[in-house]
Amino acid sequence: MTSTRAGHLPAAAKRFLMWDTEPAAFGITMPFPVPNSMDADTARAMITALVDNHETLRGRYTYGPDARWEIFPSADSDESRPELRTLDISAVDDADLGALIERETAAANQRLDPASGRVVTATLCTRPAHGNLLLLTVHHVACDAVALWILWGDMTTYVRQWESGEPIALEPERTTASEWAEFLEKYSETRTGELDYWLATSDSEPSEPVRAHPPEPVYLDGVIEDPLAERIFEELPAAFGATYTRILLVAFGLAIEDVLGVPRPIQVQKHGRYARLRPGADLGRTIGWLSDDYPWLLSPTVGSTAARIRHANAEYPATPEDFTLLRWYNGATSRHFHTFRNPKFYFNFVGELGGYVPASRSRDMARLTTFDLSVLLGGYRSDGVRRVHYSVHAPTGGLGAERAEQIVAQWRSILGTVDTSVESVHGADSE
């Protein structure tokens, strides 16, 4: 029997294991090009090296209120040995490749079973004329979007070393997900003074576990391009002294207030890699679900759009990570959140991406049925042109098409029309 050791669960993984209704089928799939000369045995060896290098990929996860994580020492046990399947796609047209990847991703999700230690699976797609493609699927409980790109780097290193005949030597993690979670549990004891503030950001409306059928679900995918994109990336951050991500979020909050007539809390998703909390910590190689979130409630004010943006920025919490620390890492304060009403609006800027397929984002967001309206955004640069892609989803029984479309239209209008003149931005509003 393989000996295991207990791991400390990061907040996102702990929360997921406690409440998700479909815990097994929640994988993240990355298509990775590999040489035609890399056969199934070599590809399997590469994946095994990834699993051995990152402890979240070789564990057994349990569900429910007492969710926990047991870490296997290596990938040589039956439970943690990664599975690899092969598929000949030489007859698949390029135009049909996306649909094939979608089908294989769905099938891979069904093969995952964190409770049995199966958190990684892969399919080697072979096509002699165009190069092979490795579809690597990792269960979300062990890997977030940032971590996925770390795995991409590991596979790139492995392929380079293997092709050149070098010894395989992947750079190890400098801080593991379990070590980081253990540190945050202790660090949370220093942030208890912020408890009342975060409890006050609870949603004013009760949750609806079972929704009435109407209205129908809504999916809105869009692209923000020139000249508005450049305004978002350059002009607005310079004018208001805030990141463009913050500007996008604040404008989203204002749009919700404008359309619904009252500000509503928004669940903001962040990457969670706050290495600054512990000097010397290095999370640049850490694989795990380290992302966190916090509720942000707009403090309403009267005046021009510029004045409202200024006010929102001034009132924004300086250390939003405290919410996660107090709710998920501190046993003494977490009990206060047992009746906490989570926001029913969701905002997730996933970062600067190398590419983006909006429709796939909306499909992913179909899981977010706890929200009345959710938005995923990503920045994208192609041929020197910067864009913002967004996917908006309102589930069955959510806001419905009319109000969802109104919020998106008002959000874009705020971004495009707010006065950025010196007089307006610094208080002498002219709007």
Side-chain angles (χ1 to χ4, degrees), residues 51-71:
V51 173
D52 280 335
N53 203 37
H54 302 289
E55 64 182 21
T56 61
L57 305 183
R58 54 175 198 277
R60 189 164 47 213
Y61 298 82
T62 59
Y63 303 106
D66 299 320
R68 64 185 184 275
W69 171 29
E70 297 176 293
I71 305 171

mmCIF file of all heavy atoms in Angstrom, residues 51-71:
data_model
loop_
_atom_site.group_PDB
_atom_site.id
_atom_site.type_symbol
_atom_site.label_atom_id
_atom_site.label_comp_id
_atom_site.label_asym_id
_atom_site.label_seq_id
_atom_site.Cartn_x
_atom_site.Cartn_y
_atom_site.Cartn_z
ATOM 1 N N VAL A 51 3.922 14.914 -13.091
ATOM 2 C CA VAL A 51 3.241 14.497 -11.869
ATOM 3 C C VAL A 51 4.228 14.384 -10.718
ATOM 4 O O VAL A 51 3.957 14.811 -9.581
ATOM 5 C CB VAL A 51 2.498 13.171 -12.102
ATOM 6 C CG1 VAL A 51 1.930 12.621 -10.804
ATOM 7 C CG2 VAL A 51 1.381 13.364 -13.122
ATOM 8 N N ASP A 52 5.395 13.824 -10.992
ATOM 9 C CA ASP A 52 6.414 13.699 -9.945
ATOM 10 C C ASP A 52 6.940 15.059 -9.496
ATOM 11 O O ASP A 52 7.357 15.221 -8.347
ATOM 12 C CB ASP A 52 7.579 12.836 -10.431
ATOM 13 C CG ASP A 52 7.282 11.345 -10.341
ATOM 14 O OD1 ASP A 52 6.431 10.969 -9.509
ATOM 15 O OD2 ASP A 52 7.887 10.571 -11.096
ATOM 16 N N ASN A 53 6.903 16.032 -10.398
ATOM 17 C CA ASN A 53 7.475 17.346 -10.095
ATOM 18 C C ASN A 53 6.531 18.247 -9.310
ATOM 19 O O ASN A 53 6.970 19.216 -8.697
ATOM 20 C CB ASN A 53 7.870 18.048 -11.410
ATOM 21 C CG ASN A 53 8.922 19.115 -11.216
ATOM 22 O OD1 ASN A 53 9.833 18.949 -10.398
ATOM 23 N ND2 ASN A 53 8.816 20.210 -11.939
ATOM 24 N N HIS A 54 5.232 17.931 -9.319
ATOM 25 C CA HIS A 54 4.247 18.823 -8.692
ATOM 26 C C HIS A 54 3.273 18.003 -7.855
ATOM 27 O O HIS A 54 2.465 17.243 -8.389
ATOM 28 C CB HIS A 54 3.495 19.609 -9.760
ATOM 29 C CG HIS A 54 4.379 20.429 -10.646
ATOM 30 N ND1 HIS A 54 5.038 21.563 -10.216
ATOM 31 C CD2 HIS A 54 4.736 20.256 -11.943
ATOM 32 C CE1 HIS A 54 5.750 22.071 -11.209
ATOM 33 N NE2 HIS A 54 5.586 21.294 -12.271
ATOM 34 N N GLU A 55 3.291 18.202 -6.563
ATOM 35 C CA GLU A 55 2.588 17.294 -5.660
ATOM 36 C C GLU A 55 1.065 17.364 -5.766
ATOM 37 O O GLU A 55 0.383 16.389 -5.445
ATOM 38 C CB GLU A 55 3.024 17.544 -4.214
ATOM 39 C CG GLU A 55 2.665 18.906 -3.670
ATOM 40 C CD GLU A 55 3.177 19.115 -2.249
ATOM 41 O OE1 GLU A 55 4.116 18.401 -1.852
ATOM 42 O OE2 GLU A 55 2.648 19.999 -1.544
ATOM 43 N N THR A 56 0.484 18.470 -6.221
ATOM 44 C CA THR A 56 -0.979 18.499 -6.344
ATOM 45 C C THR A 56 -1.475 17.507 -7.388
ATOM 46 O O THR A 56 -2.640 17.115 -7.362
ATOM 47 C CB THR A 56 -1.488 19.899 -6.734
ATOM 48 O OG1 THR A 56 -0.933 20.275 -8.001
ATOM 49 C CG2 THR A 56 -1.140 20.936 -5.686
ATOM 50 N N LEU A 57 -0.606 17.088 -8.307
ATOM 51 C CA LEU A 57 -1.004 16.178 -9.380
ATOM 52 C C LEU A 57 -0.972 14.720 -8.945
ATOM 53 O O LEU A 57 -1.371 13.836 -9.711
ATOM 54 C CB LEU A 57 -0.089 16.369 -10.594
ATOM 55 C CG LEU A 57 0.031 17.792 -11.145
ATOM 56 C CD1 LEU A 57 0.904 17.801 -12.384
ATOM 57 C CD2 LEU A 57 -1.332 18.385 -11.438
ATOM 58 N N ARG A 58 -0.480 14.467 -7.763
ATOM 59 C CA ARG A 58 -0.412 13.080 -7.291
ATOM 60 C C ARG A 58 -1.012 12.993 -5.885
ATOM 61 O O ARG A 58 -0.320 12.762 -4.884
ATOM 62 C CB ARG A 58 1.025 12.558 -7.314
ATOM 63 C CG ARG A 58 2.035 13.410 -6.567
ATOM 64 C CD ARG A 58 3.416 12.740 -6.540
ATOM 65 N NE ARG A 58 4.252 13.307 -5.515
ATOM 66 C CZ ARG A 58 4.957 14.422 -5.643
ATOM 67 N NH1 ARG A 58 4.945 15.066 -6.792
ATOM 68 N NH2 ARG A 58 5.681 14.874 -4.637
ATOM 69 N N GLY A 59 -2.307 13.196 -5.832
ATOM 70 C CA GLY A 59 -2.985 13.153 -4.546
ATOM 71 C C GLY A 59 -4.362 12.547 -4.646
ATOM 72 O O GLY A 59 -4.921 12.358 -5.726
ATOM 73 N N ARG A 60 -4.892 12.233 -3.485
ATOM 74 C CA ARG A 60 -6.245 11.699 -3.378
ATOM 75 C C ARG A 60 -7.050 12.725 -2.587
ATOM 76 O O ARG A 60 -6.668 13.115 -1.484
ATOM 77 C CB ARG A 60 -6.206 10.356 -2.665
ATOM 78 C CG ARG A 60 -7.522 9.598 -2.668
ATOM 79 C CD ARG A 60 -7.300 8.139 -2.302
ATOM 80 N NE ARG A 60 -6.436 7.990 -1.128
ATOM 81 C CZ ARG A 60 -5.592 6.968 -0.970
ATOM 82 N NH1 ARG A 60 -5.472 6.043 -1.904
ATOM 83 N NH2 ARG A 60 -4.848 6.893 0.123
ATOM 84 N N TYR A 61 -8.163 13.174 -3.174
ATOM 85 C CA TYR A 61 -8.944 14.259 -2.591
ATOM 86 C C TYR A 61 -10.302 13.725 -2.120
ATOM 87 O O TYR A 61 -10.943 12.945 -2.833
ATOM 88 C CB TYR A 61 -9.170 15.365 -3.619
ATOM 89 C CG TYR A 61 -7.895 16.021 -4.103
ATOM 90 C CD1 TYR A 61 -7.134 15.437 -5.115
ATOM 91 C CD2 TYR A 61 -7.459 17.224 -3.560
ATOM 92 C CE1 TYR A 61 -5.966 16.045 -5.569
ATOM 93 C CE2 TYR A 61 -6.305 17.842 -4.009
ATOM 94 C CZ TYR A 61 -5.557 17.242 -5.015
ATOM 95 O OH TYR A 61 -4.402 17.841 -5.465
ATOM 96 N N THR A 62 -10.726 14.149 -0.943
ATOM 97 C CA THR A 62 -12.034 13.742 -0.437
ATOM 98 C C THR A 62 -12.968 14.949 -0.417
ATOM 99 O O THR A 62 -12.529 16.093 -0.339
ATOM 100 C CB THR A 62 -11.929 13.146 0.976
ATOM 101 O OG1 THR A 62 -11.361 14.132 1.859
ATOM 102 C CG2 THR A 62 -11.051 11.913 0.975
ATOM 103 N N TYR A 63 -14.282 14.674 -0.474
ATOM 104 C CA TYR A 63 -15.291 15.712 -0.614
ATOM 105 C C TYR A 63 -16.070 15.906 0.681
ATOM 106 O O TYR A 63 -16.032 15.086 1.592
ATOM 107 C CB TYR A 63 -16.266 15.340 -1.737
ATOM 108 C CG TYR A 63 -15.600 15.109 -3.067
ATOM 109 C CD1 TYR A 63 -15.434 13.822 -3.584
ATOM 110 C CD2 TYR A 63 -15.123 16.179 -3.808
ATOM 111 C CE1 TYR A 63 -14.815 13.613 -4.806
ATOM 112 C CE2 TYR A 63 -14.504 15.981 -5.034
ATOM 113 C CZ TYR A 63 -14.361 14.694 -5.523
ATOM 114 O OH TYR A 63 -13.747 14.486 -6.735
ATOM 115 N N GLY A 64 -16.800 17.007 0.732
ATOM 116 C CA GLY A 64 -17.695 17.266 1.843
ATOM 117 C C GLY A 64 -17.124 18.257 2.844
ATOM 118 O O GLY A 64 -16.059 18.846 2.640
ATOM 119 N N PRO A 65 -17.817 18.463 3.967
ATOM 120 C CA PRO A 65 -17.403 19.459 4.958
ATOM 121 C C PRO A 65 -15.995 19.234 5.502
ATOM 122 O O PRO A 65 -15.320 20.186 5.898
ATOM 123 C CB PRO A 65 -18.451 19.306 6.070
ATOM 124 C CG PRO A 65 -19.631 18.686 5.399
ATOM 125 C CD PRO A 65 -19.082 17.800 4.327
ATOM 126 N N ASP A 66 -15.556 17.982 5.518
ATOM 127 C CA ASP A 66 -14.219 17.658 6.038
ATOM 128 C C ASP A 66 -13.259 17.335 4.897
ATOM 129 O O ASP A 66 -12.407 16.448 5.008
ATOM 130 C CB ASP A 66 -14.300 16.469 7.010
ATOM 131 C CG ASP A 66 -15.167 16.768 8.216
ATOM 132 O OD1 ASP A 66 -15.084 17.907 8.727
ATOM 133 O OD2 ASP A 66 -15.937 15.881 8.627
ATOM 134 N N ALA A 67 -13.377 18.062 3.794
ATOM 135 C CA ALA A 67 -12.532 17.822 2.624
ATOM 136 C C ALA A 67 -11.054 17.830 3.007
ATOM 137 O O ALA A 67 -10.613 18.668 3.797
ATOM 138 C CB ALA A 67 -12.804 18.883 1.566
ATOM 139 N N ARG A 68 -10.322 16.925 2.430
ATOM 140 C CA ARG A 68 -8.886 16.857 2.724
ATOM 141 C C ARG A 68 -8.138 16.323 1.507
ATOM 142 O O ARG A 68 -8.734 15.921 0.508
ATOM 143 C CB ARG A 68 -8.618 15.988 3.951
ATOM 144 C CG ARG A 68 -8.990 14.526 3.792
ATOM 145 C CD ARG A 68 -8.804 13.760 5.087
ATOM 146 N NE ARG A 68 -9.060 12.340 4.915
ATOM 147 C CZ ARG A 68 -10.252 11.788 4.970
ATOM 148 N NH1 ARG A 68 -11.313 12.539 5.185
ATOM 149 N NH2 ARG A 68 -10.402 10.483 4.802
ATOM 150 N N TRP A 69 -6.828 16.308 1.643
ATOM 151 C CA TRP A 69 -5.945 15.958 0.534
ATOM 152 C C TRP A 69 -4.822 15.082 1.071
ATOM 153 O O TRP A 69 -4.127 15.461 2.015
ATOM 154 C CB TRP A 69 -5.405 17.245 -0.075
ATOM 155 C CG TRP A 69 -4.311 17.125 -1.088
ATOM 156 C CD1 TRP A 69 -4.062 16.105 -1.948
ATOM 157 C CD2 TRP A 69 -3.304 18.107 -1.345
ATOM 158 N NE1 TRP A 69 -2.978 16.372 -2.732
ATOM 159 C CE2 TRP A 69 -2.492 17.602 -2.382
ATOM 160 C CE3 TRP A 69 -3.012 19.355 -0.811
ATOM 161 C CZ2 TRP A 69 -1.385 18.320 -2.876
ATOM 162 C CZ3 TRP A 69 -1.928 20.061 -1.310
ATOM 163 C CH2 TRP A 69 -1.132 19.545 -2.333
ATOM 164 N N GLU A 70 -4.655 13.914 0.485
ATOM 165 C CA GLU A 70 -3.547 13.018 0.809
ATOM 166 C C GLU A 70 -2.583 12.991 -0.373
ATOM 167 O O GLU A 70 -2.998 12.766 -1.507
ATOM 168 C CB GLU A 70 -4.061 11.601 1.091
ATOM 169 C CG GLU A 70 -4.970 11.493 2.291
ATOM 170 C CD GLU A 70 -5.513 10.086 2.439
ATOM 171 O OE1 GLU A 70 -6.294 9.658 1.563
ATOM 172 O OE2 GLU A 70 -5.149 9.422 3.418
ATOM 173 N N ILE A 71 -1.311 13.200 -0.103
ATOM 174 C CA ILE A 71 -0.314 13.318 -1.170
ATOM 175 C C ILE A 71 0.468 12.023 -1.310
ATOM 176 O O ILE A 71 1.029 11.502 -0.341
ATOM 177 C CB ILE A 71 0.660 14.484 -0.852
ATOM 178 C CG1 ILE A 71 -0.124 15.775 -0.624
ATOM 179 C CG2 ILE A 71 1.667 14.654 -1.979
ATOM 180 C CD1 ILE A 71 0.742 16.923 -0.101
#
